[in-house]
mmCIF file of all heavy atoms in Angstrom:
data_model
loop_
_atom_site.group_PDB
_atom_site.id
_atom_site.type_symbol
_atom_site.label_atom_id
_atom_site.label_comp_id
_atom_site.label_asym_id
_atom_site.label_seq_id
_atom_site.Cartn_x
_atom_site.Cartn_y
_atom_site.Cartn_z
ATOM 1 N N MET H 1 63.169 30.259 14.458
ATOM 2 C CA MET H 1 61.881 29.647 14.597
ATOM 3 C C MET H 1 61.036 29.829 13.327
ATOM 4 O O MET H 1 61.164 30.853 12.616
ATOM 5 C CB MET H 1 61.104 30.211 15.793
ATOM 6 C CG MET H 1 61.745 29.930 17.148
ATOM 7 S SD MET H 1 61.600 28.174 17.543
ATOM 8 C CE MET H 1 59.815 28.076 17.997
ATOM 9 N N ALA H 10 49.334 21.845 2.985
ATOM 10 C CA ALA H 10 48.258 21.121 2.333
ATOM 11 C C ALA H 10 48.477 19.641 2.375
ATOM 12 O O ALA H 10 49.656 19.193 2.338
ATOM 13 C CB ALA H 10 48.117 21.578 0.894
ATOM 14 N N PRO H 19 50.262 -1.959 -11.061
ATOM 15 C CA PRO H 19 49.916 -2.836 -12.181
ATOM 16 C C PRO H 19 49.759 -4.304 -11.811
ATOM 17 O O PRO H 19 49.074 -5.028 -12.518
ATOM 18 C CB PRO H 19 51.114 -2.671 -13.141
ATOM 19 C CG PRO H 19 52.165 -1.915 -12.399
ATOM 20 C CD PRO H 19 51.597 -1.300 -11.183
ATOM 21 N N LYS H 27 44.775 4.736 -2.611
ATOM 22 C CA LYS H 27 44.843 6.136 -2.414
ATOM 23 C C LYS H 27 45.851 6.411 -1.295
ATOM 24 O O LYS H 27 45.801 5.779 -0.245
ATOM 25 C CB LYS H 27 43.496 6.676 -2.036
ATOM 26 C CG LYS H 27 43.250 8.075 -2.480
ATOM 27 C CD LYS H 27 41.803 8.504 -2.180
ATOM 28 C CE LYS H 27 41.262 9.476 -3.231
ATOM 29 N NZ LYS H 27 39.981 10.003 -2.831
ATOM 30 N N ILE H 36 57.458 22.528 13.766
ATOM 31 C CA ILE H 36 57.677 23.446 14.918
ATOM 32 C C ILE H 36 59.007 23.049 15.507
ATOM 33 O O ILE H 36 59.151 21.914 16.024
ATOM 34 C CB ILE H 36 56.561 23.324 15.929
ATOM 35 C CG1 ILE H 36 55.198 23.656 15.271
ATOM 36 C CG2 ILE H 36 56.800 24.291 17.068
ATOM 37 C CD1 ILE H 36 53.993 23.323 16.125
ATOM 38 N N GLU H 42 72.291 24.024 22.658
ATOM 39 C CA GLU H 42 72.937 22.706 22.711
ATOM 40 C C GLU H 42 72.753 22.068 24.067
ATOM 41 O O GLU H 42 73.234 20.971 24.311
ATOM 42 C CB GLU H 42 74.409 22.852 22.384
ATOM 43 C CG GLU H 42 74.623 23.312 20.913
ATOM 44 C CD GLU H 42 76.018 23.040 20.387
ATOM 45 O OE1 GLU H 42 76.913 22.733 21.179
ATOM 46 O OE2 GLU H 42 76.189 23.168 19.175
ATOM 47 N N ASN H 55 54.675 16.532 20.722
ATOM 48 C CA ASN H 55 53.219 16.471 20.686
ATOM 49 C C ASN H 55 52.631 17.609 19.880
ATOM 50 O O ASN H 55 51.575 17.448 19.243
ATOM 51 C CB ASN H 55 52.658 16.365 22.074
ATOM 52 C CG ASN H 55 52.616 14.922 22.551
ATOM 53 O OD1 ASN H 55 52.316 14.024 21.809
ATOM 54 N ND2 ASN H 55 52.804 14.731 23.866
ATOM 55 N N ASN H 57 53.910 18.990 17.264
ATOM 56 C CA ASN H 57 54.018 18.582 15.878
ATOM 57 C C ASN H 57 53.033 17.449 15.555
ATOM 58 O O ASN H 57 52.418 17.454 14.481
ATOM 59 C CB ASN H 57 55.467 18.195 15.548
ATOM 60 C CG ASN H 57 56.351 19.407 15.291
ATOM 61 O OD1 ASN H 57 56.088 20.163 14.346
ATOM 62 N ND2 ASN H 57 57.380 19.615 16.100
ATOM 63 N N PHE H 116 57.852 -1.860 25.938
ATOM 64 C CA PHE H 116 59.252 -1.600 25.654
ATOM 65 C C PHE H 116 59.727 -0.296 26.308
ATOM 66 O O PHE H 116 60.514 0.448 25.766
ATOM 67 C CB PHE H 116 59.480 -1.575 24.140
ATOM 68 C CG PHE H 116 59.239 -2.895 23.495
ATOM 69 C CD1 PHE H 116 57.995 -3.167 22.885
ATOM 70 C CD2 PHE H 116 60.152 -3.936 23.591
ATOM 71 C CE1 PHE H 116 57.730 -4.371 22.353
ATOM 72 C CE2 PHE H 116 59.840 -5.183 23.055
ATOM 73 C CZ PHE H 116 58.642 -5.417 22.415
ATOM 74 N N ASN H 147 77.400 -1.645 24.913
ATOM 75 C CA ASN H 147 78.360 -1.593 26.022
ATOM 76 C C ASN H 147 79.793 -1.688 25.596
ATOM 77 O O ASN H 147 80.091 -1.843 24.405
ATOM 78 C CB ASN H 147 78.014 -2.684 27.065
ATOM 79 C CG ASN H 147 78.091 -4.064 26.437
ATOM 80 O OD1 ASN H 147 79.053 -4.335 25.720
ATOM 81 N ND2 ASN H 147 77.138 -4.905 26.697
ATOM 82 N N PRO H 154 79.135 4.180 21.216
ATOM 83 C CA PRO H 154 79.388 5.607 21.529
ATOM 84 C C PRO H 154 79.557 5.813 23.062
ATOM 85 O O PRO H 154 79.081 4.991 23.831
ATOM 86 C CB PRO H 154 78.209 6.311 20.970
ATOM 87 C CG PRO H 154 77.620 5.427 19.944
ATOM 88 C CD PRO H 154 77.890 4.033 20.433
ATOM 89 N N GLN H 160 72.312 5.872 18.308
ATOM 90 C CA GLN H 160 71.150 6.757 18.061
ATOM 91 C C GLN H 160 70.895 6.781 16.572
ATOM 92 O O GLN H 160 71.777 7.073 15.774
ATOM 93 C CB GLN H 160 71.509 8.192 18.564
ATOM 94 C CG GLN H 160 71.939 8.164 20.053
ATOM 95 C CD GLN H 160 72.263 9.499 20.656
ATOM 96 O OE1 GLN H 160 72.458 9.623 21.853
ATOM 97 N NE2 GLN H 160 72.360 10.565 19.869
ATOM 98 N N ALA H 175 57.060 -1.834 10.159
ATOM 99 C CA ALA H 175 58.372 -1.602 9.544
ATOM 100 C C ALA H 175 59.131 -0.614 10.376
ATOM 101 O O ALA H 175 58.601 0.301 10.996
ATOM 102 C CB ALA H 175 58.218 -1.052 8.120
ATOM 103 N N HIS H 181 72.536 6.592 4.963
ATOM 104 C CA HIS H 181 73.390 7.738 4.460
ATOM 105 C C HIS H 181 72.962 9.009 5.151
ATOM 106 O O HIS H 181 72.059 9.710 4.743
ATOM 107 C CB HIS H 181 73.225 7.820 2.964
ATOM 108 C CG HIS H 181 73.687 6.625 2.193
ATOM 109 N ND1 HIS H 181 75.034 6.384 1.993
ATOM 110 C CD2 HIS H 181 73.017 5.586 1.658
ATOM 111 C CE1 HIS H 181 75.163 5.203 1.375
ATOM 112 N NE2 HIS H 181 73.939 4.725 1.159
ATOM 113 N N ASP H 189 73.828 7.927 14.495
ATOM 114 C CA ASP H 189 74.715 6.896 14.032
ATOM 115 C C ASP H 189 74.105 6.192 12.785
ATOM 116 O O ASP H 189 72.874 6.059 12.737
ATOM 117 C CB ASP H 189 74.976 5.821 15.102
ATOM 118 C CG ASP H 189 75.474 6.441 16.379
ATOM 119 O OD1 ASP H 189 76.600 6.983 16.341
ATOM 120 O OD2 ASP H 189 74.807 6.354 17.403
ATOM 121 N N PHE H 199 57.510 -4.399 3.458
ATOM 122 C CA PHE H 199 56.384 -5.070 4.068
ATOM 123 C C PHE H 199 55.232 -5.127 3.023
ATOM 124 O O PHE H 199 55.223 -4.376 2.077
ATOM 125 C CB PHE H 199 55.924 -4.282 5.328
ATOM 126 C CG PHE H 199 55.434 -2.889 5.077
ATOM 127 C CD1 PHE H 199 54.093 -2.605 4.965
ATOM 128 C CD2 PHE H 199 56.333 -1.850 5.026
ATOM 129 C CE1 PHE H 199 53.651 -1.332 4.718
ATOM 130 C CE2 PHE H 199 55.943 -0.537 4.751
ATOM 131 C CZ PHE H 199 54.577 -0.296 4.603
ATOM 132 N N CYS H 211 65.470 10.242 2.743
ATOM 133 C CA CYS H 211 66.228 11.407 2.263
ATOM 134 C C CYS H 211 67.475 11.102 1.434
ATOM 135 O O CYS H 211 67.432 10.584 0.339
ATOM 136 C CB CYS H 211 66.500 12.330 3.431
ATOM 137 S SG CYS H 211 66.755 14.064 2.959
ATOM 138 N N PHE H 216 72.152 6.960 -3.424
ATOM 139 C CA PHE H 216 73.079 5.858 -3.409
ATOM 140 C C PHE H 216 72.444 4.580 -3.869
ATOM 141 O O PHE H 216 71.201 4.449 -3.836
ATOM 142 C CB PHE H 216 73.634 5.707 -1.971
ATOM 143 C CG PHE H 216 74.370 6.899 -1.481
ATOM 144 C CD1 PHE H 216 73.644 7.968 -0.892
ATOM 145 C CD2 PHE H 216 75.732 7.038 -1.646
ATOM 146 C CE1 PHE H 216 74.283 9.117 -0.451
ATOM 147 C CE2 PHE H 216 76.393 8.168 -1.174
ATOM 148 C CZ PHE H 216 75.684 9.201 -0.582
ATOM 149 N N THR H 222 68.694 -1.509 -4.732
ATOM 150 C CA THR H 222 68.557 -2.956 -4.437
ATOM 151 C C THR H 222 67.133 -3.298 -3.961
ATOM 152 O O THR H 222 66.571 -4.332 -4.367
ATOM 153 C CB THR H 222 69.561 -3.354 -3.317
ATOM 154 O OG1 THR H 222 70.865 -3.015 -3.774
ATOM 155 C CG2 THR H 222 69.466 -4.838 -2.994
ATOM 156 N N LEU H 223 66.496 -2.388 -3.219
ATOM 157 C CA LEU H 223 65.114 -2.633 -2.800
ATOM 158 C C LEU H 223 64.186 -2.818 -3.986
ATOM 159 O O LEU H 223 63.374 -3.715 -4.055
ATOM 160 C CB LEU H 223 64.566 -1.418 -2.016
ATOM 161 C CG LEU H 223 64.651 -1.369 -0.528
ATOM 162 C CD1 LEU H 223 63.963 -0.069 -0.048
ATOM 163 C CD2 LEU H 223 64.001 -2.578 0.133
ATOM 164 N N MET H 239 66.565 19.699 0.909
ATOM 165 C CA MET H 239 66.837 21.055 0.567
ATOM 166 C C MET H 239 67.007 21.119 -0.976
ATOM 167 O O MET H 239 67.868 20.490 -1.566
ATOM 168 C CB MET H 239 68.133 21.563 1.243
ATOM 169 C CG MET H 239 68.289 23.036 1.146
ATOM 170 S SD MET H 239 69.896 23.545 1.798
ATOM 171 C CE MET H 239 69.577 23.366 3.520
ATOM 172 N N LEU H 242 69.531 23.935 -6.984
ATOM 173 C CA LEU H 242 69.537 24.029 -8.438
ATOM 174 C C LEU H 242 70.903 23.634 -8.958
ATOM 175 O O LEU H 242 71.877 23.816 -8.238
ATOM 176 C CB LEU H 242 69.173 25.443 -8.895
ATOM 177 C CG LEU H 242 67.758 25.900 -8.556
ATOM 178 C CD1 LEU H 242 67.655 27.384 -8.808
ATOM 179 C CD2 LEU H 242 66.753 25.141 -9.378
ATOM 180 N N LEU H 245 69.064 19.103 -8.186
ATOM 181 C CA LEU H 245 68.651 18.436 -6.957
ATOM 182 C C LEU H 245 67.449 19.177 -6.306
ATOM 183 O O LEU H 245 67.410 19.321 -5.088
ATOM 184 C CB LEU H 245 69.835 18.350 -5.984
ATOM 185 C CG LEU H 245 70.875 17.324 -6.413
ATOM 186 C CD1 LEU H 245 72.060 17.355 -5.411
ATOM 187 C CD2 LEU H 245 70.296 15.929 -6.454
ATOM 188 N N ALA H 253 62.144 11.982 -11.195
ATOM 189 C CA ALA H 253 63.040 11.319 -12.150
ATOM 190 C C ALA H 253 63.496 9.957 -11.626
ATOM 191 O O ALA H 253 63.550 8.963 -12.368
ATOM 192 C CB ALA H 253 64.223 12.234 -12.416
ATOM 193 N N VAL H 260 58.942 2.701 -10.397
ATOM 194 C CA VAL H 260 58.330 2.379 -9.132
ATOM 195 C C VAL H 260 57.555 3.586 -8.618
ATOM 196 O O VAL H 260 57.868 4.727 -9.042
ATOM 197 C CB VAL H 260 59.426 1.948 -8.127
ATOM 198 C CG1 VAL H 260 60.284 3.136 -7.670
ATOM 199 C CG2 VAL H 260 58.880 1.202 -6.923
ATOM 200 N N ASN H 261 56.517 3.385 -7.851
ATOM 201 C CA ASN H 261 55.835 4.519 -7.214
ATOM 202 C C ASN H 261 56.736 5.032 -6.096
ATOM 203 O O ASN H 261 57.357 4.239 -5.362
ATOM 204 C CB ASN H 261 54.516 4.086 -6.556
ATOM 205 C CG ASN H 261 53.520 3.512 -7.551
ATOM 206 O OD1 ASN H 261 53.380 4.036 -8.638
ATOM 207 N ND2 ASN H 261 52.893 2.429 -7.161
ATOM 208 N N VAL H 270 60.479 27.168 3.803
ATOM 209 C CA VAL H 270 60.824 27.894 2.601
ATOM 210 C C VAL H 270 62.201 28.556 2.736
ATOM 211 O O VAL H 270 62.999 28.556 1.815
ATOM 212 C CB VAL H 270 59.743 28.939 2.267
ATOM 213 C CG1 VAL H 270 60.133 29.796 1.088
ATOM 214 C CG2 VAL H 270 58.415 28.205 1.971
#
Side-chain angles (χ1 to χ4, degrees):
M1 293 290 286
K27 211 175 212 189
I36 302 170
E42 294 199 348
N55 272 326
N57 279 300
F116 297 97
N147 60 44
Q160 304 181 170
H181 298 283
D189 303 297
F199 63 96
C211 202
F216 299 85
T222 302
L223 266 183
M239 192 187 285
L242 294 170
L245 289 177
V260 72
N261 300 318
V270 174

